[in-house]
Amino acid sequence: MSRVVMLLGLVDRDAATPPDVPPHRRVPSSSGLDAILIDETAAEGAPEVKAMELALAQVSILSAYASEDDVLPVALGAAFSGDDALLAHLDAAAPLLHAQRAEIGGRSEWIVAIDRQRPDGPRPRREDGGYLRRRQAEISARRHMETARGDFVASVIGALGTGPVRLGRPQARSRQSLAVVAALVDRAAEDSVRSRLEVLAAEGERLGLALRLIGPCAPFSFIAAEGRDG
């Protein structure tokens, strides 16, 4: 079975290898960045399972570096026949890599999810007046809750947008999630961003919402590096 080199991302030459990071190799390139890669063997099997395993390995390895150092992810599936082919590709892509490296300098990605803890707000108090009045009160309460929740999402995004933060486009919502936003945050500002969100979390609970903050992660949402076979 043939050996394939899978490029996962790049880090600065002087970036320390994190403790307990999953197995991988680092290969220095002429751009001053080290390529983060793993060796795979071309074998038969379910391609979707292999792709999921590779994606999990990429996230685990690169996010381990992202807590302390700049990480430049590449598109999943960047496969090369060997180190020489990989280095030739990186040499050709050096100008693009330096430009992308400048965009993420000193930053890592955080994911903020706003989840529904309950589908609706508190039910309106029962009053005399029959079914139509109660139904009208329920509709009014639901609209009020939807408006309040929309304002809350805007407040969260506003808190993320204060200071040295770059926001990605809101991601697709699920049945549980009201909103999911990726933010590229300066590592020096992570504590202040976290503090602002903690203040808003109490307000969210009153609206039946929970804030989830995931990170630091490699900036997958902000890099459009194209992987190529070589």
Side-chain angles (χ1 to χ4, degrees), residues 7-18:
L7 176 63
L8 305 181
L10 300 106
V11 296
D12 289 343
R13 182 72 44 80
D14 57 356
T17 300

Side-chain angles (χ1 to χ4, degrees), residues 159-160 162 165 185 189-198 213:
L160 286 170
T162 301
V165 175
V185 182
E190 288 175 358
D191 288 343
S192 62
V193 170
R194 188 183 291 109
S195 295
R196 290 196 293 268
L197 292 176
E198 287 174 352
L213 185 61

